[in-house]
Amino acid sequence: MSEQTDGMGTEESVTNRPSLVSSSLKIFFGVTVAMLRTLRVLFLIAVVIGALLAAAYVLKQDEKVTRQFEGKRWSLPARVFARPLELYEGKTLYARDLEKELHLLRYHKTANPSTTGQYSKKGNRFLIHTRGFQFAEDLEPERLIRLTLGKNGQVTSLKNANSNAPLALMRLEPILIGNFYPSHNEDRILVRLNEVPPLLTEGLIAVEDKNYYNHFGINPTSIVRAIIANVKEGKKVQGGSTLTQQLVKNYFLTNEQSYKRKANEATMAMLLELHYSKDELLEAYMNEIYLGQNGQRAIHGFGLASQFYFGVPLRELNASQIALLIGIAKGASFYNPRRYPNRAKQRRDLVLNVMAREGVMSEEEAEQAKQQPLGVSSFQPSAKNPFPAYLELVKAQLRRDYQEEDLHNEGLIIFTAMDPIIQLQAEKVVRSRVRKLERANRIRKGKLNAAMVISNVQDGEVLAIVGGTDARYEGYNRALVARRQIGSVVKPAVYLAAIDRTDKFTLATRVSDSPVVVRVGREYWKPRNYDHRDMGGILVVKALVLSRNTPTVRIGIQTGLDNVIQMMYDLGVHSDIPPYPSILLGTSELAPVEVQQMFQTLAAEGTYTPLRAIRSVMDAYGKDLKRYPLNVKQVASAESVYQVTYAMNQITRNGTAKYLSTVLPKWKNSAGKTGTTNDKRDSWYAGFTGQHVMTVWVGRDDNKPTNLTGGTGALRVWADMMRILPTRPFRPKKPKGIRWIKIDKESGLLYNSACGTPISLPFDVKKIPKRKRHCAPAPVVRPAPDESSTVPPRSVPPADRPVWQGLGQ
């Protein structure tokens, strides 16, 4: 039984084995399928998550690309231009000045001007191919003009050279005189694609990305080719970036070498291609590419690079110069043509070969271009603004209307009144004459300095500013900020207040030249004449012409300090003027530009016009933003000003400025006033012709004596400048209320033909003398020994303020 039983058990066991294997396999395959299903789900989840992350990444990059590229793409510097040179028949213009202007504009002299930016000259005849310029909505077209100058320095003929038709008026483009740069010091001149020479566009694509118009932002074939070449050489010898990728790298990314940056670059390149046209991207590339360094200023874009390397606009470049710019794009520092001309030439020639191979130009044209020199200007534009003193005035006026950020980022285009020819001449005159004064007065070289301001009589436009002998120094601008005592330069304001604001004085009023004592609180002020002499009783006109101190004090006290101070304010002074009697002799401390404003108002017949440097402002796209109209205000009667300026004209003939009559042509009549301060620390001269107002200060920054009076210092600088300045003579128009009357030279009464000496003086018709001189000796007016004048207690100087003696001429 046991055997049977055992046999049955064994058979049953054998019979059940396939069933167990089958079950195990089922379980195994079930688990595997489940795992595969799980892995599939996990994979799908991972794919979805990856896709979501990729989508988020792409969306983030897309938002970054469109936000930055749709908005303001670049922070653009504000560009400041001088006045455009206006040309018309009858304009005063010398051949040397016109040629200087063309030189500053980087026009090239040639026998036959065939393109813009060229000119020829034969004697006083010019043939000029102008560039044209966009003045807001007013376009000055490019054209070929023929201009003839007469021997007397006037335009005698102005015609269109192609049609021979006369031109009533035209303008040369204005000279760029400075920039206000963004904080990161990037600089560029934006160009549109249609303004770029076709040879530059086609050459750039042939050299950098010949399939540019066929790819979608990246070029896989180029990438693979570059990888193979780099692996073979064991280092990077070839790049596979498209122009779009280069734009992304320059505009959005850094130069970091990593796979992450390359991934960002490729993604953003494709996104740019998705949103923008090929031409838009190419234009952006041409404005973004880094092409050099000028000090701390980075040169970006082909528009500025053309000016930086060749001094001309893009459209005036030849094939050799275009190829050089394309070559520099590969590495601006490595191929810098000024530092490495041989290396730059090799790169240029390689570019020309590629351009010929790709059919952009013929082999013959390429060979001819290779024979050309690099053509880089030997003059590298300064990284600093060339006219810092003038630009400081521009910036000060702009701050009234624009925020500081706007001046450095919005690409404002600012048109000023600066005349570059006058500016350069003024700088040269100041530098030269100051050095002569140092030698003549044994002052150590560099210790004496000066400032000059020149404006236009008619509209108050500032034509030139010199802030010191070193005109390129961007620092202490003496013309705008050096507050120095003005001395007798104040006297025309004193005399104008006396004649205009009271009925006590005319030019013929007799006033004492004897010593005067002014009580100031508990003290006494005893001003003296410069020469310590007493001329007795003299006329007001003589007191001003000879710059006498004691008559001026008498006139000022009787007029009232309040009237004198208000007159100074009305004439244009903005600084605080304390009511001390000493201001009558010029102890007020003013900057040269404030003195200039006073004399500007006198030159304009009592019409106050704020000095201005800016004419108009445009945005980066040529839209007119703001104009600066002429604002005028009559602050003194034309009759009163006429009388005072007559006396100021006599100063240049017979008074403290008679030096002018010996060195200037007779037709250059002018009016002005010298000024000297205590111990000859400050030398001033301010004056005007019929066209120009000019103020000059000479002194030392350490305020030590110079041994110079107004007549021996500043007047010499003024005369040197006026000698070469084309101007109109001082011929003021006689107001209706003025009559010229003969009066007696000594008494100031109406002239009696039976005795005395006559002189003719202008009078307001309401103040003409009524008495005639008797032939008996005229009484001598002298003050009593104890004569004194007083001023209100509020005018008492503080204890630490010196009691001033008389200031000089």
Side-chain angles (χ1 to χ4, degrees):
M1 290 292 292
S2 62
E3 290 180 1
Q4 187 178 16
T5 301
D6 289 342
M8 289 176 62
T10 301
E11 183 180 351
E12 182 180 7
S13 176
V14 172
T15 304
N16 287 337
R17 281 176 183 172
S19 175
L20 289 171
V21 171
S22 175
S23 297
S24 297
L25 290 173
K26 287 180 179 179
I27 292 171
F28 174 75
F29 285 116
V31 171
T32 302
V33 169
M35 290 178 64
L36 289 173
R37 286 175 178 170
T38 301
L39 288 173
R40 183 181 177 186
V41 170
L42 290 174
F43 175 75
L44 290 174
I45 291 173
V47 169
V48 170
I49 292 174
L52 290 174
L53 290 174
Y57 162 75
V58 171
L59 287 173
K60 181 180 179 180
Q61 298 299 328
D62 187 68
E63 190 273 336
K64 180 179 180 180
V65 164
T66 54
R67 174 170 47 83
Q68 288 188 230
F69 216 71
E70 287 289 348
K72 186 179 66 176
R73 295 181 183 176
W74 296 283
S75 294
L76 299 175
R79 300 200 178 278
V80 187
F81 290 89
R83 58 92 188 100
L85 179 60
E86 294 185 339
L87 300 174
Y88 52 88
E89 288 189 10
K91 178 183 177 63
T92 299
L93 183 65
Y94 296 104
R96 66 172 187 273
D97 291 342
L98 175 57
E99 195 156 19
K100 180 66 174 177
E101 184 102 11
L102 294 172
H103 175 73
L104 291 172
L105 287 167
R106 309 305 292 275
Y107 275 62
H108 294 285
K109 193 173 184 179
T110 181
N112 183 29
S114 58
T115 186
T116 58
Q118 296 182 342
Y119 78 99
S120 65
K121 176 179 180 290
K122 294 180 180 178
N124 281 349
R125 290 180 295 174
F126 288 80
L127 190 62
I128 308 171
H129 199 144
T130 68
R131 295 188 176 114
F133 196 85
Q134 181 70 52
F135 298 92
E137 289 80 22
D138 182 13
L139 173 66
E140 180 69 40
E142 65 171 82
R143 48 190 160 190
L144 187 65
I145 66 166
R146 183 175 288 108
L147 179 144
T148 305
L149 300 175
K151 293 181 180 180
N152 60 345
Q154 283 192 329
V155 178
T156 58
S157 176
L158 178 63
K159 294 182 179 181
N160 186 313
N162 291 323
S163 65
N164 207 37
L167 292 171
L169 173 69
M170 70 145 299
R171 294 166 293 181
L172 292 178
E173 69 270 25
I175 295 167
L176 180 68
I177 62 172
N179 303 274
F180 300 133
Y181 295 112
S183 57
H184 49 70
N185 278 323
E186 282 189 9
D187 193 9
R188 54 176 51 80
I189 295 176
L190 294 184
V191 295
R192 300 189 184 279
L193 196 58
N194 59 8
E195 298 170 343
V196 177
L199 187 64
L200 174 56
T201 305
E202 296 168 10
L204 181 67
I205 292 173
V207 172
E208 294 291 335
D209 189 0
K210 65 180 181 180
N211 292 313
Y212 176 71
Y213 281 101
N214 298 318
H215 61 63
F216 52 91
I218 61 174
N219 190 339
T221 304
S222 297
I223 295 173
V224 171
R225 188 188 309 118
I227 291 174
I228 294 172
N230 295 339
V231 169
K232 283 183 178 180
E233 295 293 330
K235 60 181 180 179
K236 184 176 180 180
V237 295
Q238 186 175 331
S241 296
T242 64
L243 280 175
T244 315
Q245 286 177 274
Q246 292 180 45
L247 172 61
V248 168
K249 182 179 69 174
N250 290 321
Y251 189 80
F252 297 100
L253 305 175
T254 67
N255 288 324
E256 175 194 359
Q257 296 293 327
S258 68
Y259 290 112
K260 179 181 178 182
R261 189 195 67 77
K262 292 298 290 185
N264 287 338
E265 179 185 296
T267 302
M268 297 172 88
M270 289 186 285
L271 288 170
L272 276 178
E273 295 266 359
L274 179 65
H275 288 293
Y276 305 101
S277 71
K278 291 284 188 179
D279 284 352
E280 285 181 287
L281 297 177
L282 185 59
E283 181 177 286
Y285 175 89
M286 289 186 163
N287 287 306
E288 173 60 28
I289 184 69
Y290 172 74
L291 290 170
Q293 195 74 24
N294 188 12
Q296 294 184 339
R297 181 169 62 118
I299 307 299
H300 285 262
F302 288 102
L304 182 60
S306 178
Q307 298 280 2
F308 178 65
Y309 290 112
F310 309 112
V312 297
L314 268 177
R315 66 177 182 269
E316 294 178 13
L317 298 182
N318 59 38
S320 169
Q321 294 167 325
I322 286 174
L324 179 59
L325 285 187
I326 294 172
I328 291 173
K330 184 175 178 64
S333 299
F334 190 78
Y335 294 110
N336 184 333
R338 288 193 173 101
R339 295 188 63 185
Y340 310 110
N342 293 332
R343 189 185 294 171
K345 184 179 185 303
Q346 291 176 359
R347 176 64 183 167
R348 181 205 66 178
D349 292 350
L350 176 61
V351 169
L352 288 168
N353 289 336
V354 173
M355 291 169 69
R357 185 187 70 207
E358 297 298 327
V360 175
M361 62 194 312
S362 69
E363 294 283 353
E364 182 182 358
E365 289 172 329
E367 288 302 318
Q368 290 176 351
K370 282 193 268 187
Q371 302 307 312
Q372 297 292 321
L374 292 179
V376 175
S377 169
S378 58
F379 170 76
Q380 176 174 329
S382 172
K384 298 180 179 180
N385 286 320
F387 303 107
Y390 197 95
L391 288 181
E392 192 173 339
L393 177 62
V394 170
K395 197 168 187 178
Q397 294 190 1
L398 283 171
R399 286 195 184 107
R400 297 184 304 210
D401 302 303
Y402 299 93
Q403 297 181 359
E404 190 73 20
E405 183 181 354
D406 296 336
L407 300 185
H408 296 275
N409 297 304
E410 295 298 325
L412 299 178
I413 300 171
I414 302 155
F415 297 104
T416 74
M418 194 192 94
D419 187 312
I421 302 302
I422 294 177
Q423 176 71 37
L424 291 172
Q425 289 172 333
E427 294 170 359
K428 183 178 179 181
V429 162
V430 167
R431 185 170 57 251
S432 174
R433 175 54 76 170
V434 166
R435 187 66 194 110
K436 290 178 182 177
L437 291 172
E438 285 179 328
R439 288 195 294 265
N441 292 274
R442 297 182 180 180
I443 299 173
R444 198 169 76 187
K445 185 178 180 180
K447 287 298 183 180
L448 197 62
N449 225 304
M452 178 186 287
V453 185
I454 305 175
S455 60
N456 192 309
V457 169
Q458 281 68 36
D459 48 28
E461 290 188 334
V462 179
L463 307 178
I465 289 182
V466 183
T469 52
D470 183 359
R472 304 292 165 260
Y473 176 63
E474 293 189 41
Y476 189 49
N477 185 346
R478 295 160 189 80
L480 299 186
V481 301
R483 296 168 56 82
R484 306 290 291 243
Q485 289 187 352
I486 62 175
S488 294
V489 165
V490 75
K491 288 178 180 175
V494 176
Y495 284 73
L496 180 59
I499 293 173
D500 190 68
R501 305 290 164 88
T502 76
D503 294 327
K504 300 177 182 178
F505 298 98
T506 69
L507 292 181
T509 303
R510 192 172 169 86
V511 60
S512 174
D513 186 53
S514 63
V516 63
V517 178
V518 180
R519 192 173 67 195
V520 185
R522 296 180 179 179
E523 298 185 9
Y524 291 91
W525 179 44
K526 301 177 181 180
R528 298 171 298 181
N529 287 317
Y530 180 75
D531 58 4
H532 302 286
R533 291 175 55 215
D534 174 5
M535 300 180 71
I538 59 175
L539 303 190
V540 164
V541 65
K542 187 173 182 178
L544 179 54
V545 169
L546 298 182
S547 195
R548 306 299 289 175
N549 286 342
T550 56
T552 302
V553 171
R554 285 189 168 88
I555 292 169
I557 294 297
Q558 292 185 53
T559 299
L561 286 181
D562 290 346
N563 279 331
V564 172
I565 292 171
Q566 188 58 52
M567 177 58 74
M568 293 176 68
Y569 287 146
D570 288 344
L571 291 175
V573 173
H574 295 290
S575 298
D576 182 56
I577 304 172
Y580 305 132
S582 57
I583 66 164
L584 299 171
L585 299 182
T587 57
S588 299
E589 296 179 347
L590 304 180
V593 71
E594 285 190 274
V595 174
Q596 177 77 3
Q597 181 68 76
M598 288 175 59
F599 280 73
Q600 174 72 39
T601 307
L602 289 169
E605 301 175 351
T607 300
Y608 169 74
T609 303
L611 293 174
R612 59 190 185 124
I614 305 169
R615 289 181 173 179
S616 63
V617 178
M618 296 193 314
D619 66 14
Y621 305 98
K623 180 182 177 183
D624 211 350
L625 294 180
K626 185 174 181 62
R627 290 192 174 273
Y628 290 77
L630 192 64
N631 296 316
V632 298
K633 178 184 178 183
Q634 193 73 36
V635 298
S637 73
E639 289 78 8
S640 299
V641 175
Y642 185 85
Q643 295 171 72
V644 172
T645 54
Y646 161 76
M648 293 169 66
N649 174 247
Q650 292 301 306
I651 290 174
T652 69
R653 297 170 182 266
N654 308 302
T656 57
K658 61 184 177 182
Y659 168 80
L660 293 178
S661 64
T662 66
V663 296
L664 294 183
K666 291 183 178 180
W667 65 268
K668 284 194 175 181
N669 296 328
S670 64
K673 186 69 190 75
T674 54
T676 312
T677 61
N678 282 334
D679 300 323
K680 299 180 181 177
R681 299 176 189 273
D682 301 279
S683 170
W684 291 88
Y685 188 75
F688 46 88
T689 65
Q691 184 177 357
H692 296 105
V693 186
M694 189 192 325
T695 295
V696 175
W697 167 85
V698 175
R700 293 176 57 140
D701 292 334
D702 59 14
N703 203 31
K704 291 183 177 180
T706 65
N707 199 37
L708 296 170
T709 66
T712 60
L715 180 64
R716 306 303 168 98
V717 181
W718 198 95
D720 288 351
M721 186 63 203
M722 189 54 65
R723 192 182 289 120
I724 60 176
L725 183 64
T727 192
R728 290 193 293 269
F730 172 71
R731 291 174 182 166
K733 181 181 178 182
K734 184 169 73 73
K736 292 181 179 179
I738 285 290
R739 284 182 60 189
W740 283 83
I741 303 294
K742 281 186 178 183
I743 59 109
D744 180 70
K745 185 178 180 179
E746 297 299 326
S747 67
L749 302 175
L750 292 174
Y751 171 62
N752 186 336
S753 58
C755 57
T757 305
I759 57 171
S760 292
L761 291 177
F763 288 87
D764 188 313
V765 292
K766 299 188 293 287
K767 297 168 71 173
I768 295 175
K770 295 180 173 55
R771 292 174 53 206
K772 183 180 289 189
R773 175 181 174 175
H774 296 291
C775 288
V780 177
V781 179
R782 292 184 181 277
D786 61 346
E787 177 187 359
S788 64
S789 301
T790 60
V791 295
R794 64 182 177 84
S795 301
V796 177
D800 60 348
R801 190 177 183 90
V803 178
W804 296 99
Q805 299 298 320
L807 278 72
Q809 304 174 34

